[in-house]
Amino acid sequence: MTTPLTPLAPIPPSDDRTDRMPPRAHCIADSAGGLTFDVCDHGGVAPAHLLLAERTSGEEVRLPLTPAGDGRLRASLPISVGLPEGRWDVYAQVAGGQPVRLTPGTNDLRSLVDRAPGGSRGYVAVRVPYTTKHGNLTVRSWLRAPHAEAGELHIRDGELTVHGRVYGTEFTAKAHAEIRARAAAGPVLRGELTADGAEFTLRIGYDELSEGRWDLWLRPGGDDGPEVRVARILDDVADKKPIFVYPAARVSADGRELSAEPYYTLDNDLAVVVSAGS
């Protein structure tokens, strides 16, 4: 069932807006990774724009809202329009007024599930709209060149196996994986890597890791080639850390009992945390 849109009214000069519901935007993702936003016509003759503001840098992207029938205004964000990696808060702005934060309507993100980019652009661009903890609409954007997409994770006998695929680069005979300690000046270990075309399998023995947090990287061209972070971004889940939860494994290292567990960071990068056993 389609949720009715809240009309986007012209913005009054006063800040007294407590009696008006915030406008809502419906989002549809296409198979290429672009997004379409639909909001209700604000009922005036002044032009309106959709405003995307990156939360950290303050960079802005403005998209025209044009009539789309059924009393709706539509803005399109094709994958060809650059959107640097980050979190982009979404606003509507009528000419002469202040930007108004949009709230989420219905999201149709089915085309993002198991999306497989062609890689012809040399980079992978992903945009996933989501609801913030305050109930507002934000778009999480990734821009990776090249990119290593994590697929299935298997945990068995104190070992983590990651299956995945690279985009925007190729494996050479010098390819290897790196397990990097996140702590400053921490060690860099090599993981067991096998490749078949663009597909890869990475194996990590937990007993080789000391206490701390470890990030997973690929070096498809060896030491002289690109450094590629292993992440999972090609789906419709903006924040995987609280959703993708994996079992911890008990390992013994240097006479200590430790617990090792893979997880996704706030940027959906794959990592492993090793902590003292309880």
Side-chain angles (χ1 to χ4, degrees):
M1 178 181 296
T2 301
T3 304
L5 288 165
T6 302
L8 175 60
I11 309 303
S14 169
D15 288 331
D16 183 16
R17 304 168 192 161
T18 57
D19 60 342
R20 176 155 47 83
M21 294 293 292
R24 183 178 297 161
H26 301 282
C27 297
I28 300 175
D30 60 42
S31 59
L35 293 176
T36 297
F37 303 85
D38 277 0
V39 299
C40 239
D41 194 327
H42 57 84
V45 296
H49 286 82
L50 191 85
L51 174 66
L52 299 167
E54 207 286 314
R55 191 175 297 172
T56 301
S57 67
E59 182 177 352
E60 296 182 352
V61 172
R62 296 173 64 86
L63 304 169
L65 281 164
T66 58
D70 297 326
R72 297 191 179 200
L73 295 175
R74 177 168 296 167
S76 295
L77 179 66
I79 204 67
S80 58
V81 173
L83 198 67
E85 188 159 324
R87 296 179 187 269
W88 295 78
D89 297 329
V90 186
Y91 300 80
Q93 184 175 24
V94 178
Q98 295 297 316
V100 177
R101 197 77 159 86
L102 292 177
T103 58
T106 56
N107 289 338
D108 185 352
L109 307 181
R110 290 172 293 179
S111 63
L112 297 182
V113 179
D114 297 325
R115 176 172 162 243
S120 59
R121 295 185 177 91
Y123 63 86
V124 171
V126 176
R127 293 89 181 264
V128 181
Y130 70 97
T131 305
T132 70
K133 63 181 180 181
H134 299 298
N136 296 314
L137 178 63
T138 293
V139 174
R140 182 64 173 94
S141 174
W142 287 268
L143 190 63
R144 300 286 172 97
H147 169 59
E149 176 74 5
E152 293 183 350
L153 273 60
H154 297 279
I155 303 167
R156 183 178 180 182
D157 299 330
E159 180 180 272
L160 170 65
T161 301
V162 182
H163 299 286
R165 182 180 181 89
V166 296
Y167 297 87
T169 190
E170 295 180 352
F171 289 108
T172 70
K174 298 179 180 180
H176 63 269
E178 291 182 349
I179 318 302
R180 301 180 182 179
R182 194 175 300 173
V188 177
L189 309 179
R190 289 206 175 188
E192 179 186 343
L193 178 70
T194 57
D196 182 8
E199 307 289 332
F200 69 86
T201 299
L202 166 62
R203 293 183 176 86
I204 304 167
Y206 285 150
D207 57 358
E208 300 177 12
L209 306 180
S210 58
E211 190 172 350
R213 296 183 184 273
W214 299 80
D215 297 325
L216 280 58
W217 294 78
L218 299 185
R219 303 298 299 270
D223 292 333
D224 298 327
E227 304 177 9
V228 187
R229 189 73 164 88
V230 180
R232 183 165 181 170
I233 59 177
L234 294 175
D235 57 26
D236 61 343
V237 181
D239 291 302
K240 294 181 175 59
K241 187 173 183 179
I243 298 175
F244 286 58
V245 179
Y246 299 95
R250 307 287 295 182
V251 293
S252 297
D254 298 327
R256 303 178 64 203
E257 289 295 320
L258 300 175
S259 175
E261 180 181 355
Y263 72 99
Y264 286 102
T265 70
L266 293 176
D267 290 325
N268 287 1
D269 296 323
L270 185 59
V272 174
V273 59
V274 180
S275 56
S278 57

